[in-house]
Amino acid sequence: MALDLILRNACIGAAEPQIVDIAVAGGRIVDIASGIAAEAPEEDIDGRLVVAGFVETHIHLDKSCILDRCKSQRGTLAEAIAEVAAAKRAFSEEDIYQRARSTLERAILQGTMRMRTHVEVDPRIGLKGFSAIRRLKQEYAWAIDVEICVFPQEGLLNDPGTEELLVAACEQGADLIGGCPYTDSDPHGQIARIFAMARQFDRDIDFHLDFDIDPSRMDLEEVCRCTKAAGWGGRVTVGHVTKLSAIRPERFAAIATRLADTGVAVTVLPATDLFLMGRDHDHDVPRGVAAAHRLLDHGVVCSIASNNVLNPFTPFGDCSLIRMANLYANVAQIGRPSELASCLDMVTALPAKLMNLRNYGIAIGNPADFVVLDCTDRAGAVAEIVRPLFGMKNGRRTFVCPPARLLRGE
Ligand SMILES: [Zn+2]
């Protein structure tokens, strides 16, 4: 078979790193071995680390880049929801499309190749966000696989007309259904309705859940109960769960075991959680980030994700998942190389598992999706927030990012 490319001297492998050549033909990986002898265009990457693209499980493209339209003062979750709800009334499909496109392009340039984006649906915005993101999903399929999770940010049972719109979005191809019980007048009622719709349309579920640091009341147990009852293990994710940062180790361990046994995955969103939590403290501010690396120890599937970019929930953002992994490691006080490497897993292989992606990874037969990082080891990638040098999707180059260099005397 004629090869399209041989990537020489790539560092791959999690438990045991190895230096190999990767052969690409017809957009797929057709061989992985040392010293592949064949005539083909080559690129020697000199032992640099290769990952199969970063995997973003939780980002809101539709409400990114709106800081100039909002005037947040307190920095609380309630204020962020209210500010965006007000700004959203002026969104048009074209406006959403333009902002989301710039955020999506930024994510591609940071090496993200798979993405789950949450999209708000309610009677004010209708399906404008969904339609805009669906266009982008198609137009950028050459560089990134996007799945759309429609959800009721401002509540479901308290917001008549929303359920019909969620159903319409599912009928028009929404990939997942999401929930946000903490904004609902009846959180458990919402959880029940979301599971009912998921079963009706055979969709995975992704909840925004338990998003404060008061652990006296949690919806997590109800989500686990419904997951088990529906037989939806491995198909449910909960995001934020910042309440897990506020409980003692014994209760944390019991909940972690329950999550692992039930097949409920967890996404932590460090930039948003750090920005919004603990606002009623004027000193010793709690960090409010769930200990994902400890959940991993119990067998829970976890990812680290971006959530929001340049809006009242998170007035920061460059869409870099390697930076997000570093931020998590820093705030979680992680420094050991094996734990730093597991932070890389939480933006690559683990989110791929969370999203039930069946063709992810550097393996023969998989799509030739690569991101080459300017480093030679996994812990270093996280510790140093290394830059991706270039990326390939289905065997085609999708971006380049040449390394910065000094111009001494030039
Ligand atoms: Zn979110």
Side-chain angles (χ1 to χ4, degrees):
M1 181 197 304
L3 299 179
D4 298 322
L5 174 73
I6 301 174
L7 200 61
R8 298 272 186 209
N9 298 307
C11 178
I12 65 167
E16 290 179 28
Q18 45 181 163
I19 305 293
V20 295
D21 295 345
I22 303 171
V24 174
R28 297 201 163 264
I29 298 170
V30 294
D31 197 8
I32 299 173
S34 57
I36 292 175
E39 286 292 313
E42 304 191 352
E43 174 133 5
D44 191 337
I45 58 168
D46 203 18
R48 289 190 174 83
L49 187 64
V50 176
V51 296
F54 293 110
V55 184
E56 172 75 76
T57 64
H58 189 132
I59 190 167
H60 297 261
L61 295 177
D62 60 340
K63 57 184 175 189
S64 65
C65 307
I66 55 168
L67 278 180
D68 56 341
R69 309 173 193 190
C70 301
K71 46 182 191 309
S72 299
Q73 297 295 324
R74 300 187 302 280
T76 61
L77 173 60
E79 182 187 58
I81 292 171
E83 282 289 315
V84 174
K88 195 164 65 173
R89 288 174 181 271
F91 287 2
S92 67
E93 181 179 326
E94 191 55 27
D95 163 48
I96 296 169
Y97 174 86
Q98 295 293 346
R99 287 183 291 98
R101 184 173 69 176
S102 91
T103 305
L104 186 64
E105 288 188 354
R106 208 183 270 204
I108 293 167
L109 289 168
Q110 298 284 10
T112 301
M113 290 190 173
R114 317 274 188 138
M115 173 185 283
R116 175 180 291 177
T117 183
H118 292 256
V119 174
E120 296 189 19
V121 167
D122 60 48
R124 274 81 58 206
I125 192 73
L127 296 179
K128 283 181 221 163
F130 173 67
S131 300
I133 305 301
R134 195 175 47 175
R135 279 165 62 196
L136 288 169
K137 171 180 170 159
Q138 289 162 357
E139 289 170 20
Y140 283 82
W142 56 274
I144 187 165
D145 298 330
V146 175
E147 61 179 42
I148 302 175
C149 177
V150 288
F151 86 111
Q153 171 72 76
E154 296 172 39
L156 180 62
L157 301 189
N158 51 300
D159 202 356
T162 301
E163 181 162 342
E164 289 78 357
L165 287 162
L166 289 169
V167 165
C170 286
E171 286 169 347
Q172 293 172 38
D175 302 284
L176 273 92
I177 184 140
C180 193
Y182 61 78
T183 56
D184 207 294
S185 52
D186 177 2
H188 286 196
Q190 179 181 126
I191 291 168
R193 290 308 308 148
I194 297 297
F195 269 94
M197 280 186 267
R199 292 173 74 155
Q200 181 186 349
F201 291 98
D202 191 23
R203 298 293 200 273
D204 292 2
I205 300 173
D206 198 325
F207 285 107
H208 290 71
L209 205 79
D210 287 339
F211 192 14
D212 61 39
I213 49 175
D214 170 12
S216 61
R217 184 192 164 282
M218 295 179 77
D219 289 328
L220 200 49
E221 175 53 33
E222 179 64 7
V223 168
C224 287
R225 192 188 67 74
C226 292
T227 300
K228 195 150 193 266
W232 237 243
R235 303 187 65 178
V236 177
T237 299
V238 291
H240 297 294
V241 262
T242 46
K243 287 174 187 280
L244 291 179
S245 71
I247 58 177
R248 294 191 178 281
E250 308 76 46
R251 188 175 171 204
F252 183 92
I255 291 174
T257 302
R258 174 86 166 128
L259 289 167
D261 291 348
T262 316
V264 173
V266 171
T267 296
V268 294
L269 304 153
T272 303
D273 299 345
L274 284 164
F275 185 71
L276 293 178
M277 294 295 99
R279 286 284 179 172
D280 51 348
H281 293 246
D282 62 6
H283 67 289
D284 238 351
V285 180
R287 305 292 52 217
V289 178
H293 63 298
R294 299 223 166 87
L295 294 173
L296 292 183
D297 293 340
H298 291 268
V300 182
V301 176
C302 295
S303 67
I304 297 167
S306 303
N307 198 29
N308 282 290
V309 178
L310 303 172
N311 73 15
F313 293 86
T314 318
F316 317 116
D318 56 1
C319 304
S320 165
L321 282 169
I322 196 79
R323 185 179 68 80
M324 210 48 65
N326 174 282
L327 176 63
Y328 176 80
N330 203 160
V331 79
Q333 301 179 310
I334 285 172
R336 283 201 294 274
S338 63
E339 288 188 330
L340 284 170
S342 76
C343 291
L344 185 67
D345 292 339
M346 285 194 278
V347 291
T348 52
L350 286 166
K353 188 172 178 188
L354 179 151
M355 288 171 65
N356 291 311
L357 303 176
R358 296 185 207 295
N359 57 0
Y360 177 87
I362 308 289
I364 293 171
N366 273 353
D369 296 353
F370 311 121
V371 170
V372 177
L373 298 173
D374 197 8
C375 64
T376 54
D377 77 288
R378 297 157 54 72
V382 173
E384 298 172 43
I385 319 181
V386 296
R387 294 156 56 91
L389 294 175
F390 68 89
M392 300 190 82
K393 180 84 174 158
N394 296 313
R396 277 188 51 206
R397 262 171 220 257
T398 50
F399 70 93
V400 291
C401 195
R405 62 185 183 91
L406 293 172
L407 300 176
R408 194 193 306 269
E410 285 183 29

